[in-house]
Amino acid sequence: MPPARRHALTVRLPEGAADTPISAALTAAADLWWPEDSRPRLWTDSVRAAADSSAALRRRATETRRPLAPGHRLRALFLRYEDGGAADLLLVADGAALDARSLWLIAEVLRGRLDPQGVLLRSGTPDLRPDPSTLPLVAALAVVTGRHEGLSYVPVGIPVPALDRPPHALGALDGRAVFAADLTEERTVGDLLGTPLTPFPDGAAPDVGLVDPGPAAGQEAFTVLPYTDPPYPRTLLHGPRALTDGPGPLTDETGGFERQVLRVRDQILSLPPETPLAELYPLTAEESAARIGLGRGTPATAHTPRRIDDVFTERTAAQPDAPALTCAGATLTYRELNARADELANGLRASGVAPGDLVGICLPRSTDLVATMLAVLKADAVYVPLDPEHPAGRRARTAEDAGLRLTVDDTARLTGHPAQPRTASGPPTAPAYVIHTSGSTGRPKGVVVPHANVTALVDATREDFGLTSADTWTLFHSAAFDFSVWEIWGALLTGGRLVVVDHWTTRSPDGFHALVLREGVTVLSQTPSAFTQFMAADRDADGELPLRLVVLGGEPLDTRPLRSWFDRHPEDRCRLVNMFGITETTVHVTARTLTRRAAVEGSRSVGRPLPGWDVHVLDSRGRPVPPGAPGEIYVGGAGVADGYLHRPALTAERFVPAPWHDGRLYRSGDLGRFLPDGSLEHLGRIDDQVKVRGFRIEPGEIRHALLEDPAVTAAAVTVTGHEQGDAAAVRIDAYVVLTPDAHGDTAPVRHRAARLLPSHMLPATVTALPRLPLTANGKLDPAGLPAPRRSAPEAAAPLLAPAPPTGAAATLTEVWQEVLGVPAIGPDDNFWDLGGNSLYAIRIGAAVRERGLPPVPLRQLYLTPTIRTLSEALVP
């Protein structure tokens, strides 16, 4: 049985207060208010402890919870303390008879601040209309709460005349209603003030509420017992003196939240009703300037803008015989790599490449891949990497978008040409490379990055990361993925050795781990998805890793699994750094060194800006958000790219002038907030872009690829699985409406998309629908989409049930079902069509090995992607 509903109030009386006048006031007031009922009396007691001692605190707590005598609605207690100082007046009320407001009024009468003749029982029929001065305040509370919490809908509890008031309530009634604020951008101040109040729900109370505690609020200690008002986890006390923080702090600055509410309230009172809600701003100019300063990185230390090829030439002169580049067991020195790049640069000039031309590079992972990049820069041209693993259609679209002068897919054509005099190179601000990212229009968009950005990145990290010529790096990532920019030039511009990792080794955690050991790699760069597999391989491997620095980036990091890594590789032996970055801001923007404590806490902080970089968290009007509030991440400083190739409108939209200094900011489309220590917490995407195994994609590009199929009349794309925190579980599903002559067969649609989209963008399923579900506004209704179905058409039921798998086939079937989460898998079902990806393939290989079968290399799974063919290959 729940405890009786009660209200309790503790009032600290001034030094020298006596119980006699209080007792007389209580008797007089009770005769006036409750002439026919049992009269409450004032009890007096002494506490053998100081007023602020723990013993006194326990006594007061005990008294506030003591049941009332039968037939009494109020108990009053006067407590003296042995220090002879202040005294306390405790009032406890039966919640069924008196409300919280009544206690305040009784306390005011007993202290002589109010005449009991003016505090009478209220009567009449209440309604749900707040006081006119309250409505702007509660509207402001909703707006500021929405800014702090990143919400567009905020229900706020508000005091109103009670519909169900206690029978003996005094003064104003203590009712509650809900102000359900719709804060979407298109709404106005007038719309917000016109929000109707609704009755308080029977279920959970709103998280935020406004409570009117009565006259002289703000000094007394108001104790709320179970099953009593106010019910809100976070409360503002609305009284004639001040607003006060409630039990749940909403800001990291004492009093800051209340000031912001009052500031927005004043704006609501002064601005025209048609003012958009987005115009309301809770910070002063000084507070806004402080937020801008918080996001500025330390100044770059003695960085002079340089060209990449010039810095490399200096490194070559300083250490010509040091190892520079290793691939497949062969190593080039800096002198040899420089000579090979000069030879290829001569071939480029002989082929007609002029300064500023865009040159495609479509080469497998090799020493010539890196040498050709360097050669393009030496020819004063711009390199555009094309991944040979991508479908030919995708590469053709990228080449068309870039307007390439030529594409290098075989360096033999560039060799044997006579040396040509090298003309003066362009400035450090000239473009060095263009890397393409997914585009919502259906075609990849190229990001133009200058030389100076890359050399600034290296200079910004060199001292902190201790990058020297003693380091060995790996080129693990695709040259078309901007993480490779950091790997290649981070190594070569600091005099280190770069080890090129071949395609299949990057997809074999055990093989890659062995390479790191064999080559003595000291600096490793990984996406969190890939590092998870590397950690798994490390747990089962022998040998002490030579790593001293691991850089994680490219996608959000869940720090919790890192605890096992720290068990084997303590922080003082191998430093882990989480970096947030964007292609448009030159790979990396912030850095945070990870610790075991961060792993235990599950921290999502990505650290502070690199020297020379700026990070700001702004609202929809480009203004700094309040402390701790979410907003869009803007990046400024040394890493901001030139813009998008041949996309002036998109460049103007995303690369905007900085309103407070010369320069530009890049609107990232990422959501973030600043933590109290000034570090940035990354909260995900605002727009439709998502990260799939480290690659940034736009579902719009996938949808456009599907719509180019003549058999598709409408298409929708969903990306799910992010909430599981498992990169392998992230899956892309497509829904299409087909023409009648397609007969519902979606397999050709997926096969055609595979010729245009790289594997990380290919939908796991394509489901045919008679029509796409739409909202009342004619937009796609994702909630109305059914569960995805296999892309292949349903096969006719066999006349005889197939025999159950045995031996290796049975083991593989069990493993596939477990890893892929598919309940029924046939012997000829294709692993990739079942939603398989490279991360799942690695897990399958580990699970198969644990069950006693031979290892399953990723290459084998590509060659034999069904249970039948794979089991035959494993066990001939």
Side-chain angles (χ1 to χ4, degrees):
M1 180 176 180
R5 186 170 181 264
R6 299 189 304 279
H7 300 296
L9 174 66
T10 302
V11 178
R12 176 58 51 87
L13 301 174
E15 184 175 347
D19 59 335
T20 302
I22 294 177
S23 178
L26 179 60
T27 300
D31 288 340
L32 177 66
W33 295 335
W34 309 301
E36 307 297 329
D37 298 333
S38 300
R39 305 290 199 281
R41 55 164 290 189
L42 181 69
W43 299 89
T44 302
D45 201 356
S46 297
V47 179
R48 294 182 179 180
D52 295 327
S53 66
S54 58
L57 179 63
R58 288 194 299 271
R59 174 63 188 279
R60 289 192 293 269
T62 299
E63 293 296 339
T64 58
R65 286 166 172 78
R66 191 186 305 280
L68 277 76
H72 286 260
R73 64 179 66 96
L74 177 71
R75 181 175 69 252
L77 175 65
F78 183 92
L79 286 180
R80 295 189 180 94
Y81 301 99
E82 69 175 8
D83 56 4
D88 280 329
L89 173 65
L90 272 69
L91 300 175
V92 181
D94 178 359
L98 295 172
D99 53 25
R101 173 72 177 213
S102 299
L103 279 188
W104 286 106
L105 294 174
I106 293 171
E108 295 296 274
V109 168
L110 299 188
R111 289 188 291 174
R113 297 184 178 186
L114 284 178
D115 184 346
Q117 295 284 348
V119 182
L120 302 176
L121 293 170
R122 299 296 298 269
S123 61
T125 303
D127 58 23
L128 286 179
R129 285 182 295 185
D131 182 272
S133 64
T134 302
L135 192 56
L137 181 66
V138 76
L141 176 57
V143 168
V144 177
T145 299
R147 300 289 174 85
H148 276 263
E149 302 293 329
L151 301 173
S152 59
Y153 171 77
V154 177
V156 179
I158 180 173
V160 294
L163 296 176
D164 236 348
R165 66 185 180 94
H168 300 282
L170 301 170
L173 305 179
D174 199 17
R176 298 172 293 168
V178 174
F179 182 87
D182 180 355
L183 305 174
T184 48
E185 289 260 324
E186 62 271 14
R187 301 266 292 172
T188 66
V189 168
D191 296 333
L192 182 63
L193 293 176
T195 301
L197 299 184
T198 58
F200 200 81
D202 294 331
D207 284 343
V208 181
L210 192 69
V211 174
D212 188 350
Q219 292 184 352
E220 298 81 7
F222 183 41
T223 304
V224 181
L225 299 180
Y227 303 99
T228 65
D229 300 330
Y232 319 113
R234 288 166 296 185
T235 302
L236 289 182
L237 301 180
H238 170 39
R241 296 188 181 179
L243 293 171
T244 308
D245 264 335
L250 292 172
T251 177
D252 59 352
E253 298 177 0
T254 303
F257 184 80
E258 297 92 322
R259 288 195 299 270
Q260 293 170 27
V261 172
L262 293 176
R263 196 169 295 125
V264 171
R265 181 200 60 183
D266 293 343
Q267 295 172 25
I268 289 175
L269 290 171
S270 62
L271 292 171
E274 61 273 15
T275 302
L277 293 181
E279 291 294 332
L280 302 176
Y281 189 54
L283 301 184
T284 64
E286 293 77 12
E287 291 169 338
S288 179
R291 305 310 298 171
I292 294 171
L294 182 68
R296 287 182 175 151
T298 58
T301 55
H303 169 69
T304 301
R306 305 287 305 281
R307 285 180 60 93
I308 296 171
D309 48 319
D310 287 345
V311 177
F312 177 80
T313 299
E314 290 182 3
R315 297 303 316 183
T316 300
Q319 51 182 76
D321 298 319
L325 192 60
T326 297
C327 182
T331 298
L332 297 181
T333 65
Y334 272 80
R335 188 201 315 273
E336 292 168 334
L337 176 57
N338 189 57
R340 178 60 173 164
D342 282 338
E343 179 184 20
L344 296 175
N346 285 328
L348 291 170
R349 296 187 189 97
S351 300
V353 172
D357 282 349
L358 274 67
V359 177
I361 301 177
C362 187
L363 294 170
R365 296 164 181 260
S366 60
T367 54
D368 264 358
L369 171 65
V370 178
T372 303
M373 290 179 178
L374 189 55
V376 173
L377 300 181
K378 284 175 173 281
D380 203 12
V382 183
Y383 73 82
V384 182
L386 305 172
D387 192 332
E389 300 296 327
H390 285 177
R394 167 82 172 191
R395 299 198 305 269
R397 289 188 172 189
T398 302
E400 180 185 358
D401 176 81
L404 299 180
R405 178 68 178 82
L406 63 83
T407 297
V408 180
D409 53 15
D410 182 0
T411 55
R413 295 184 300 167
L414 302 180
T415 58
H417 297 278
Q420 298 187 25
R422 181 177 178 181
T423 58
S425 298
T429 54
Y433 65 84
V434 174
I435 282 184
H436 284 73
T437 67
S438 181
S440 61
T441 61
R443 291 183 177 272
K445 56 182 183 289
V447 181
V448 183
V449 180
H451 286 257
N453 291 31
V454 177
T455 56
L457 175 64
V458 175
D459 286 347
T461 55
R462 185 196 311 267
E463 181 177 349
D464 183 29
F465 290 176
L467 306 178
T468 70
S469 58
D471 283 317
T472 296
W473 300 52
T474 56
L475 174 54
F476 180 89
H477 299 91
S478 164
F481 182 21
D482 71 328
F483 219 157
S484 66
V485 172
W486 162 253
E487 294 177 300
I488 295 169
W489 304 120
L492 298 180
L493 300 189
T494 59
R497 179 170 69 103
L498 180 66
V499 178
V500 180
V501 186
D502 70 86
H503 172 81
W504 293 110
T505 301
T506 64
R507 283 151 176 79
S508 170
D510 293 333
F512 181 57
H513 188 276
L515 178 144
V516 170
L517 278 171
R518 183 175 64 251
E519 297 290 348
V521 174
T522 60
V523 179
L524 177 64
S525 296
Q526 295 272 272
T527 63
S529 301
F531 192 62
T532 297
Q533 307 304 323
F534 185 84
M535 288 193 297
D538 182 62
R539 284 194 293 269
D540 300 329
D542 297 325
E544 181 66 28
L545 284 175
L547 293 173
R548 68 166 188 85
L549 174 66
V550 175
V551 173
L552 301 174
E555 62 185 348
L557 170 68
D558 182 355
T559 58
R560 291 168 297 181
L562 297 177
R563 287 175 290 183
S564 62
W565 172 267
F566 287 122
D567 289 339
R568 298 184 307 281
H569 308 284
E571 302 161 33
D572 59 350
R573 296 215 311 261
C574 180
R575 180 181 177 187
L576 257 63
V577 180
N578 185 29
M579 302 188 77
F580 161 71
I582 316 162
T583 304
E584 289 86 345
T585 56
T586 317
V587 192
H588 296 309
V589 174
T590 69
R592 187 200 182 189
T593 297
L594 299 170
T595 62
R596 180 183 295 276
R597 179 176 179 179
V600 171
E601 294 174 348
S603 171
R604 293 191 296 178
S605 168
V606 293
R608 298 183 64 86
L610 299 175
W613 270 249
D614 293 342
V615 175
H616 305 286
V617 180
L618 309 180
D619 64 14
S620 61
R621 293 294 195 271
R623 303 165 300 192
V625 298
E632 184 174 1
I633 298 173
Y634 285 62
V635 180
V640 178
D642 285 348
Y644 294 112
L645 186 66
H646 309 320
R647 306 278 183 92
L650 184 60
T651 297
E653 176 187 341
R654 306 301 295 185
F655 294 82
V656 298
W660 46 80
H661 61 70
D662 293 337
R664 297 177 308 147
L665 300 175
Y666 174 69
R667 296 186 58 185
S668 71
D670 286 305
L671 194 67
R673 65 181 169 201
F674 281 118
L675 299 176
D677 65 357
S679 64
L680 179 70
E681 186 176 51
H682 185 260
L683 301 175
R685 293 292 301 176
I686 297 173
D687 55 23
D688 290 336
Q689 289 183 357
V690 292
K691 281 289 184 77
V692 177
R693 294 183 287 284
F695 292 92
R696 190 177 74 188
I697 70 167
E698 299 210 31
E701 181 175 351
I702 303 172
R703 179 174 175 271
H704 277 277
L706 295 169
L707 288 172
E708 290 184 12
D709 192 315
V712 177
T713 62
V717 176
T718 64
V719 182
T720 58
H722 291 282
E723 65 282 353
Q724 300 180 31
D726 180 0
V730 177
R731 55 182 287 143
I732 303 170
D733 294 299
Y735 297 85
V736 296
V737 178
L738 300 176
T739 58
D741 55 0
H743 305 294
D745 186 358
T746 60
V749 175
R750 188 172 187 274
H751 294 158
R752 183 184 181 281
R755 298 197 298 269
L756 298 173
L757 300 171
S759 59
H760 63 270
M761 295 178 67
L762 186 63
T765 65
V766 179
T767 302
L769 299 176
R771 66 188 63 83
L772 295 179
L774 302 177
T775 65
N777 296 328
K779 297 181 180 180
L780 177 70
D781 180 12
L785 293 170
R789 295 192 293 270
R790 295 270 305 281
S791 297
E794 296 293 333
L799 297 177
L800 296 175
T806 60
T811 301
L812 287 172
T813 300
E814 177 185 334
V815 169
W816 285 25
Q817 290 172 337
E818 176 185 312
V819 173
L820 296 176
V822 178
I825 296 178
D828 297 312
D829 287 338
N830 188 293
F831 170 79
W832 309 103
D833 290 341
L834 291 170
N837 55 55
S838 58
L839 295 181
Y840 277 144
I842 291 169
R843 294 180 188 179
I844 282 176
V848 165
R849 189 168 58 248
E850 290 174 358
R851 286 166 170 81
L853 287 179
V856 181
L858 184 63
R859 188 195 307 247
Q860 186 65 56
L861 200 49
Y862 274 100
L863 297 174
T864 55
T866 68
I867 296 289
R868 189 190 308 277
T869 57
L870 183 58
S871 61
E872 292 172 353
L874 292 179
V875 186

